[in-house]
Amino acid sequence: MRFHFAPREIADIILSQMNPLMLHELHHGLNAHFGELNGAEIVNNYGDWLAEHAALRASAGMIDLSFRSRICLVGADRARFLHGQVTNDVKKLRTGEGCYSAITTAKGKMESDLNIFALADELLLDFEPGLTDKISTRLEKFIVADEVQIMDVLPHYGLLSVQGPKAESAIHSLGLFSIIPTKPLGSVKISDSTLGEIYLANNLRLGTNGFDLFVPNNSLGAVADKLIAAAKQISGRAVGWTAFETARIEAGIPRFGADMDETNIPLECGIESRAVTYSKGCYIGQEVINRIHSVGHVNKELRGLRLANDLKTLPQKHDKLFNAGKEVGYVTSAVKSPALNADIALGYVRREANQIGTELTLRTAAGESPAKVVVLPFVQY
């Protein structure tokens, strides 16, 4: 049996198969255009992504990141257990502290990156959407006699984020927090009689000022309204994924699922200084990662690429890069940068051809064009 659908009907069918945003109606009321990311509904934009991008650069933008995966580890052995699973030092974290890390296979290949927040009675893990079952299953595999339980946070807490140079001003104007965390991934908790327990975390998702708010789902709409109003007071606004991703790429920050995946080790991805420590005990994948570190280099690394200015279409993921006729890498993310008025990309380039200033050839379905290895970040926000 064959069915025929109009384009709008196809879009509605696709959206109906996603995990919907809890605040779908709120976003709809703001003229949101919706999309999908790894099975989750997202807001692509609110009708003017360039204005949203400008807010992230000059003031502050509020983005609903509730589609991201979130789990909590509880139990007396939670820190010791997670310490043996990830690349960073979890044991040293005190309540209100956090770290960025990766979870790897025994061969050192990435399964996910993670933001880890040490709360009073639990460890909160924040990571890319659609990976809750995969990461939970991976962790459960190694729970033997440990007093550790894994809980899915999505049914209980949403995630709102304020990013941009004036993000702290937006948080101050909420009037909810007497203390604002200053350390990367540091967090504080408040208990509000109306809104419930809210966690505020320092998280520079775009390389500038930024904060995440983990909010009870029944208060999510009220807090989102407050954040959008606070952003508007400083010439900011609600922003969608298009503007957010553009700013991320301009800032040269890799994202798992786009610029990092199961074929990569953390040392290739430009996250080693933030995600990997070499002074901790054993963890899954440590032997391989330490061996590569001791050798002193990897064969390829993530690099920034300045593309030709006259491209009609941007390169696709895995489009090849060549040097003197030899294949030396591939593109992962590409965007037309409003900040630079230029086409830019992130990609992996082999060590013999990834020095700053190296001229490469990009080969796409549309033909060949030049690509130059440049310093990251492309834009300093």
Side-chain angles (χ1 to χ4, degrees), residues 291-307:
R291 188 189 317 124
I292 295 171
H293 175 70
S294 65
V295 171
H297 65 80
V298 290
N299 292 328
K300 66 178 185 293
E301 292 180 284
L302 192 73
R303 287 291 187 264
L305 301 165
R306 185 73 178 256
L307 307 179

Side-chain angles (χ1 to χ4, degrees), residues 293-368:
H293 175 70
S294 65
V295 171
H297 65 80
V298 290
N299 292 328
K300 66 178 185 293
E301 292 180 284
L302 192 73
R303 287 291 187 264
L305 301 165
R306 185 73 178 256
L307 307 179
N309 290 327
D310 56 352
L311 291 179
K312 294 182 179 179
T313 59
L314 288 169
Q316 299 297 304
K317 186 173 183 178
H318 298 308
D319 278 348
K320 305 298 185 183
L321 297 163
F322 292 82
N323 180 248
K326 178 184 177 182
E327 183 179 325
V328 294
Y330 56 92
V331 169
T332 56
S333 295
V335 71
K336 292 183 179 296
S337 165
L340 296 173
N341 191 28
D343 293 342
I344 57 175
L346 296 173
Y348 287 95
V349 185
R350 289 188 60 84
R351 192 164 65 96
E352 65 268 22
N354 67 16
Q355 293 75 29
I356 303 303
T358 302
E359 297 281 356
L360 305 175
T361 298
L362 169 66
R363 187 176 297 172
T364 71
E368 293 186 352

Side-chain angles (χ1 to χ4, degrees), residues 68-318:
R68 286 178 60 85
S69 301
R70 292 179 297 289
I71 61 175
C72 268
L73 271 59
V74 298
D77 297 329
R78 62 188 182 277
R80 182 188 60 78
F81 170 76
L82 188 61
H83 186 81
Q85 299 295 318
V86 300
T87 57
N88 215 332
D89 193 332
V90 177
K91 280 187 178 179
K92 72 177 183 180
L93 297 179
R94 299 178 180 273
T95 299
E97 296 181 336
C99 67
Y100 175 69
S101 190
I103 184 167
T104 57
T105 68
K107 295 183 178 181
K109 302 292 187 179
M110 290 185 63
E111 293 192 271
S112 180
D113 64 345
L114 307 163
N115 294 314
I116 301 172
F117 304 94
L119 310 181
D121 300 306
E122 56 211 336
L123 290 169
L124 172 61
L125 279 55
D126 158 61
F127 47 102
E128 289 294 315
L131 299 181
T132 298
D133 290 343
K134 173 187 172 183
I135 298 305
S136 296
T137 300
R138 152 63 201 269
L139 293 174
E140 287 169 352
K141 176 182 176 182
F142 291 94
I143 297 176
V144 182
D146 306 281
E147 188 180 332
V148 180
Q149 295 83 43
I150 299 172
M151 301 174 58
D152 186 359
V153 180
L154 262 69
H156 310 288
Y157 270 77
L159 171 57
L160 305 173
S161 191
V162 182
Q163 301 291 322
K166 298 181 181 179
E168 187 169 343
S169 296
I171 296 297
H172 272 297
S173 67
L174 290 177
L176 295 172
F177 301 95
S178 59
I179 298 174
I180 295 181
T182 57
K183 291 183 179 180
L185 299 182
S187 64
V188 296
K189 182 186 82 169
I190 64 158
S191 296
D192 184 85
S193 58
T194 302
L195 301 174
E197 293 186 347
I198 299 175
Y199 295 87
L200 173 70
N202 185 304
N203 196 356
L204 282 59
R205 292 185 180 270
L206 302 177
T208 181
N209 293 329
F211 297 89
D212 289 347
L213 293 95
F214 297 93
V215 182
N217 283 340
N218 58 6
S219 301
L220 195 60
V223 175
D225 282 337
K226 291 177 181 292
L227 282 172
I228 295 170
K232 287 182 177 179
Q233 290 177 6
I234 50 175
S235 301
R237 60 196 295 157
V239 304
W241 189 244
T242 301
F244 187 84
E245 273 287 272
T246 301
R248 176 191 68 80
I249 295 168
E250 289 174 335
I253 298 173
R255 179 171 67 81
F256 189 82
D259 312 291
M260 306 180 284
D261 59 30
E262 295 84 354
T263 67
N264 297 118
I265 61 171
L267 280 61
E268 298 172 334
C269 307
I271 65 172
E272 180 181 7
S273 62
R274 294 188 294 136
V276 182
T277 182
Y278 296 100
S279 59
K280 61 176 285 186
C282 295
Y283 62 88
I284 307 300
Q286 181 195 38
E287 183 179 351
V288 174
I289 291 173
N290 279 14
R291 188 189 317 124
I292 295 171
H293 175 70
S294 65
V295 171
H297 65 80
V298 290
N299 292 328
K300 66 178 185 293
E301 292 180 284
L302 192 73
R303 287 291 187 264
L305 301 165
R306 185 73 178 256
L307 307 179
N309 290 327
D310 56 352
L311 291 179
K312 294 182 179 179
T313 59
L314 288 169
Q316 299 297 304
K317 186 173 183 178
H318 298 308

Side-chain angles (χ1 to χ4, degrees), residues 31-65:
N31 194 35
H33 299 259
F34 296 95
E36 179 268 343
L37 180 65
N38 208 14
E41 183 182 52
I42 62 172
V43 174
N44 276 333
N45 61 77
Y46 294 94
D48 189 351
W49 80 267
L50 286 173
E52 296 162 32
H53 177 270
L56 289 170
R57 288 197 64 208
S59 53
M62 192 290 293
I63 183 168
D64 184 356
L65 296 179

